Amino acid sequence: MDGVVAASADATRDEIKIMNVYIWDMDETLILLKSLLDGSYAGAFDGLKDHDKSVDIGKRWENLILELCDEHFFYEEIENYNEPFLSAVKEYDDGKDLTTYDFEADCFSSPYDDLNKRKLAYRHRAIGEKYTKGLEKILDHHMIKVWNDLYSATDKYTDGWLSSAHKLLEEAMGKSTAESTAKHSSINCIVTSGSLIPSLAKCLLYRLDDVVAFENVYSSWEVGKLQCFKWIKERYDGPNVRFCAIGDGHEECTAAQIMKWPFVKIEFHPDAPHRFPGLNLPTIHRIMDTVYDSSSNDG
């Protein structure tokens, strides 16, 4: 009889659906930019990669990101009012219909009082709506071609870094994976040290908007990555939720250790154990299983 009860308990555990929350760094993890601009990515290949081409690609990305921010995301106006996530000032948004709202005439400026916070909330809502629509609905045909050509050139130069990172985030969500997702549901979050608006622009330009919702993009610029990790834990925590941080930096590694989360370190050196292409979902899950199984045994 005891054996039947134990078997039944094991079966019940197997039926419990686990949610995996993946917390990704952006720069030098899901995308490459700084290492292209300063030539360190090319340098890691001992002359096999064209240094000047790397810098040129990086500068073209910089220009495209700034153009998108300034032309479509109100960046010149709100650059000095960075928030850690897009809904941070949502409480000031009265839900006003913005279809005919004249952003140029509302005199958004200092002081950063309740009235101007409402105006910022309007801009954040408009940015979220544009993010949801996608760049094809924002850019003209010429700029779409410029963007597509740059993405393709970057992906080719980096041996498929961008497309393989995107594919992994798709697999993490269960959109395209050889692993069974019957017992898992998943969320992708991004926590980046960059300011929020350029980070959202990067998500769009690097084609991450279909695998990371704008609500799940966090800027640690002022608050630090540990605080962002705590917010994500508060938002998603539960008895069957597992978290994993993936990034290239010391700050996210230390924050993950404090949170007692698994951490996967990304490096762009060609011989690195975890990079793109190469990193896959089974590897991440093995690392997560090791940490969470150990915690269960300790508990």
Side-chain angles (χ1 to χ4, degrees):
M1 185 67 179
D2 290 344
V4 173
V5 173
S8 176
D10 289 340
T12 301
R13 278 196 297 271
D14 289 341
E15 290 169 3
I16 293 173
K17 192 158 189 175
I18 294 171
M19 175 184 281
N20 290 321
V21 181
Y22 306 100
I23 300 95
W24 304 87
D25 180 35
M26 183 182 289
D27 292 273
E28 309 310 312
T29 298
L30 295 176
I31 73 171
L32 297 173
L33 182 56
K34 181 178 180 296
S35 61
L36 295 178
L37 283 166
D38 65 18
S40 56
Y41 177 82
F45 288 81
D46 296 326
L48 296 176
K49 296 281 187 183
D50 186 323
H51 177 276
D52 292 341
K53 186 174 184 179
S54 169
V55 175
D56 176 66
I57 289 173
K59 287 181 177 178
R60 288 162 64 192
W61 275 116
E62 263 195 333
N63 292 335
L64 195 56
I65 292 162
L66 287 173
E67 182 172 345
L68 180 61
C69 288
D70 289 341
E71 295 294 325
H72 300 282
F73 285 178
F74 315 103
Y75 193 52
E76 288 186 1
E77 297 178 30
I78 65 177
E79 179 179 3
N80 295 322
Y81 303 95
N82 186 61
E83 296 288 345
F85 44 89
L86 211 53
S87 62
V89 289
K90 188 176 181 179
E91 64 183 289
Y92 296 96
D93 190 339
D94 58 8
K96 181 183 180 69
D97 184 357
L98 301 179
T99 306
T100 59
Y101 185 80
D102 189 348
F103 287 100
E104 293 183 1
D106 74 351
C107 301
F108 173 76
S109 63
S110 297
Y112 194 38
D113 54 15
D114 286 1
L115 177 60
N116 279 298
K117 285 180 180 179
R118 178 179 297 167
K119 295 172 184 177
L120 179 62
Y122 289 166
R123 284 159 172 77
H124 278 193
R125 173 151 54 100
I127 291 168
E129 290 172 355
K130 290 180 179 181
Y131 186 103
T132 301
K133 290 177 181 177
L135 286 185
E136 289 81 3
K137 301 290 180 64
I138 299 174
L139 303 179
D140 60 31
H141 292 301
H142 170 69
M143 288 308 301
I144 287 174
K145 185 179 186 307
V146 169
W147 164 46
N148 286 335
D149 288 349
L150 180 55
Y151 185 97
S152 297
T154 308
D155 206 40
K156 182 178 180 180
Y157 180 78
T158 60
D159 306 313
W161 188 288
L162 303 183
S163 57
S164 61
H166 182 272
K167 182 181 178 183
L168 180 55
L169 267 68
E170 278 190 321
E171 293 176 352
M173 293 182 68
K175 287 188 173 184
S176 169
T177 177
E179 282 199 352
S180 171
T181 57
K183 297 177 183 177
H184 297 84
S185 61
S186 303
I187 298 288
N188 288 317
C189 297
I190 286 177
V191 176
T192 174
S193 57
S195 55
L196 182 63
I197 303 308
S199 298
L200 290 164
K202 287 178 184 178
C203 282
L204 285 163
L205 290 167
Y206 287 92
R207 302 181 181 174
L208 298 171
D209 52 304
D210 65 330
V211 287
V212 183
F214 71 80
E215 298 94 338
N216 293 336
V217 178
Y218 294 78
S219 166
S220 65
W221 183 269
E222 285 101 353
V223 300
K225 294 204 171 182
L226 179 60
Q227 178 59 66
C228 291
F229 284 14
K230 289 178 178 179
W231 282 330
I232 292 170
K233 181 173 171 41
E234 289 171 6
R235 184 177 172 191
Y236 292 110
D237 201 18
N240 302 311
V241 179
R242 308 192 312 171
F243 299 86
C244 182
I246 306 101
D248 73 303
H250 176 72
E251 185 183 2
E252 55 261 34
C253 177
T254 301
Q257 289 175 344
I258 293 171
M259 301 296 290
K260 298 183 179 178
W261 292 350
F263 178 73
V264 181
K265 182 172 177 57
I266 302 294
E267 300 173 273
F268 58 70
H269 192 280
D271 297 326
H274 304 311
R275 68 186 306 279
F276 296 110
L279 182 62
N280 56 46
L281 203 57
T283 297
I284 294 175
H285 284 174
R286 281 196 297 271
I287 294 170
M288 292 175 73
D289 289 343
T290 299
V291 172
Y292 280 97
D293 288 350
S294 174
S295 298
S296 298
N297 292 334
D298 291 343

